[in-house]
Amino acid sequence: MGQQVAEALDALRKLGTPDEMRALARQGCAPQPWPRVNAHIHLPPNFSAFESVEQAVNLAAEQGIGALGVSNYYDYEVYGDFVQWARRKGIFPLFGIEIICMDDSLRDAGIKINDPGNPGKIYFCGKGITRFDAMTPQATRLIEVIRRNDSARMAQMVEQMERLFTERGLKTEIDEQAVVEMIVRRHGSDRHTVYLQERHISQAFQEALFAKVRPEERMERLSRILGAETKAHHPEDFVAMQNDIRSRLMKAGKPAFVEETFVSFDDANRLILELGGIPCYPTVADGASPISPFEASPDKLIAEITNRNIHAVEWIPIRNTVDVLRKYVREMREAGLAITAGTEHNTLDLIPFDPFCQDGDVPGDLRAIFWEGACVVAGHQFLSLHGECGFVDGAGNPNPNYASADERIKALAGIGAAVMQRYHDTCRGN
């Protein structure tokens, strides 16, 4: 995957030995005060709020973020750049992955999980991955299946969007390669690292609209293409127009929709474990209305995910109210789940890095839980780089060296906090 990625992982490995970090953890070694943490963003060439990795890391540093997690889809070469910039700014890097998968039985039963619009569809994350540089044969096979299925769907969707725009009076001449070129121009990404997402396609067609239609005519022309009134408030409201294009034309049941071909939940889980990570369930809760049956209550959700041998969950609090977030997070932590939080930054909106709720700041008691979760990921990542069992083993089972889930979370969090402190000390010494 590249010398830069290998060097980045080696630099983290060389922070010390596991025994050294365990000793520091026993001494209570940790950054003081706790830095702000964000365990989930997307970096280009994924669809992202950022023009570059440098911009993302600089903004995170300016906003006091001490640990930052990237959860990109389907290519991880950008993680080398991420580590280099993070080290310059003293930000601890957390490596993740996001996968879209399908549970056929829940789909057939019409049960929604953490995608508000599609029964059976699951967004699934891996935390603390370490084997994305030299993948195992099984990981290579699975990631190639995902890439192939996803690329075929995106190419077909671009074709259908171009046909639709032409039929409705705006010939764009956009094809799959034109969308890839847009991403390469915007971010300077290597072409082979680019895997298209729906948001990339909607952006390409919005940009074509802007290039071909005068500002005073854009909203009327777009509404004609959509078959409905645009939600844009003015002719330069490109974010709203991109959202309109995606929701009105590309989602399930819409004219440019192409049926998705997903890997199974079991395959997604296996890929995360093959990459050395912690399987992690991203919770939506009241980010959907109504809350999905799978997540109907904390008890229901905890039972569902623990039955699947998942021991970590993640939140994007901007979707949630403070009251709902507190109710779920407290019960999840009491049930022995490690919990992280992030912002995604998977739209063009440059929202703050420090996670926040729909109706206010994340309360201090929940911040402490999210800090602990980020430290668990850091501890797992570090131990895995040394060939040791981290928070979970290669089968996804909890590390057997601890008597309880609470003991395991606290031990891994202590190791992770010590690793972060050593990392920050090293960065300051450079």
Side-chain angles (χ1 to χ4, degrees):
M1 185 171 286
Q3 186 66 22
Q4 194 176 31
V5 173
E7 290 175 356
L9 290 170
D10 194 48
L12 292 176
R13 189 181 294 108
K14 290 178 177 177
L15 288 171
T17 67
D19 285 344
E20 285 178 316
M21 295 305 162
R22 292 187 185 99
L24 290 172
R26 287 192 291 271
Q27 298 168 21
C29 182
Q32 297 295 332
W34 295 339
R36 297 174 179 177
V37 296
N38 182 328
H40 187 135
I41 66 166
H42 290 268
L43 290 174
N46 274 195
F47 195 88
S48 170
F50 313 111
E51 295 289 336
S52 66
V53 176
E54 179 183 4
Q55 180 198 21
V57 174
N58 284 342
L59 286 171
E62 290 170 8
Q63 295 175 35
I65 299 298
L68 185 61
V70 183
S71 296
N72 270 25
Y73 292 102
Y74 313 152
D75 190 271
Y76 316 105
E77 194 161 314
V78 71
Y79 289 12
D81 285 339
F82 169 57
V83 170
Q84 298 299 322
W85 284 107
R87 188 168 184 80
R88 295 178 195 181
K89 295 295 181 178
I91 294 176
F92 188 85
L94 302 171
F95 305 117
I97 176 176
E98 188 163 4
I99 309 168
I100 305 174
C101 56
M102 177 62 69
D103 184 303
D104 290 341
S105 62
L106 293 179
R107 178 197 60 200
D108 295 344
I111 296 174
K112 294 176 182 176
I113 306 171
N114 59 4
D115 182 309
N118 297 283
K121 185 176 176 181
I122 306 172
Y123 286 85
F124 198 36
C125 289
K127 296 296 173 185
I129 67 172
T130 54
R131 294 199 291 267
F132 52 89
D133 177 36
M135 293 187 188
T136 66
Q138 178 78 321
T140 299
R141 182 187 69 80
L142 289 169
I143 199 71
E144 287 304 324
V145 168
I146 292 171
R147 288 169 174 171
R148 185 168 58 251
N149 290 347
D150 197 62
S151 295
R153 177 177 183 259
M154 290 295 107
Q156 189 177 349
M157 187 169 279
V158 173
E159 288 180 9
Q160 295 196 182
M161 284 287 287
E162 163 57 22
R163 185 179 308 117
L164 185 67
F165 267 61
T166 299
E167 290 172 354
R168 297 184 180 184
L170 185 64
K171 186 172 180 60
T172 67
E173 299 180 340
I174 291 173
D175 60 14
E176 179 188 17
Q177 286 309 307
V179 184
V180 171
E181 286 294 338
M182 177 195 73
I183 297 166
V184 170
R185 285 195 307 271
R186 182 184 178 202
H187 303 299
S189 304
D190 288 338
R191 187 180 314 278
H192 73 276
T193 68
V194 174
Y195 292 91
L196 298 186
Q197 298 166 246
E198 289 179 3
R199 292 182 189 275
H200 288 134
I201 298 172
S202 62
Q203 181 184 20
F205 281 88
Q206 168 267 312
E207 290 185 356
L209 174 76
F210 275 38
K212 292 176 176 290
V213 179
R214 293 181 299 179
E216 61 270 22
E217 298 176 359
R218 283 175 188 161
M219 294 173 68
E220 187 275 331
R221 290 287 296 277
L222 179 59
S223 295
R224 194 188 316 163
I225 292 167
L226 297 175
E229 196 73 24
T230 177
K231 294 181 180 179
H233 296 295
H234 55 79
E236 303 298 331
D237 193 354
F238 60 90
V239 172
M241 292 187 190
Q242 289 176 22
N243 291 338
D244 281 344
I245 290 169
R246 184 170 178 241
S247 63
R248 290 287 183 177
L249 302 179
M250 301 171 66
K251 303 307 286 184
K254 303 303 180 182
F257 176 73
V258 175
E259 193 67 40
E260 296 154 299
T261 304
F262 298 111
V263 294
S264 68
F265 170 81
D266 288 343
D267 278 346
N269 190 56
R270 185 70 252 158
L271 175 57
I272 290 165
L273 295 171
E274 290 290 323
L275 294 174
I278 304 168
C280 179
Y281 177 81
T283 310
V284 174
D286 61 334
S289 182
I291 296 175
S292 76
F294 194 86
E295 301 184 352
S297 68
D299 288 347
K300 164 73 170 168
L301 178 55
I302 289 165
E304 290 282 4
I305 61 179
T306 54
N307 285 342
R308 291 171 181 258
N309 203 26
I310 300 171
H311 305 281
V313 295
E314 183 158 76
W315 291 82
I316 308 297
I318 191 174
R319 299 168 176 159
N320 309 110
T321 61
V322 171
D323 287 346
V324 169
L325 186 70
R326 174 177 275 125
K327 178 181 179 182
Y328 276 73
V329 168
R330 283 180 169 176
E331 291 194 34
M332 286 173 159
R333 181 59 185 84
E334 289 171 5
L337 298 174
I339 308 169
T340 57
T343 54
E344 284 215 288
H345 274 88
N346 65 343
T347 72
L348 295 180
D349 299 310
L350 277 172
I351 61 174
F353 274 84
D354 194 20
F356 59 97
C357 295
Q358 284 181 7
D359 55 348
D361 292 335
V362 173
D365 58 328
L366 303 189
R367 284 181 176 276
I369 292 172
F370 296 150
W371 159 252
E372 176 189 65
C375 290
V376 167
V377 174
H380 173 91
Q381 193 169 275
F382 178 79
L383 292 177
S384 295
L385 284 169
H386 284 271
E388 293 197 10
C389 181
F391 185 63
V392 296
D393 64 18
N397 298 317
N399 187 321
N401 295 324
Y402 304 98
S404 68
D406 186 63
E407 180 184 333
R408 182 173 64 256
I409 290 172
K410 289 178 178 176
L412 267 290
I415 292 169
V419 170
M420 286 195 205
Q421 182 61 58
R422 174 67 62 83
Y423 174 87
H424 290 144
D425 290 343
T426 303
C427 290
R428 282 193 291 267
N430 288 343

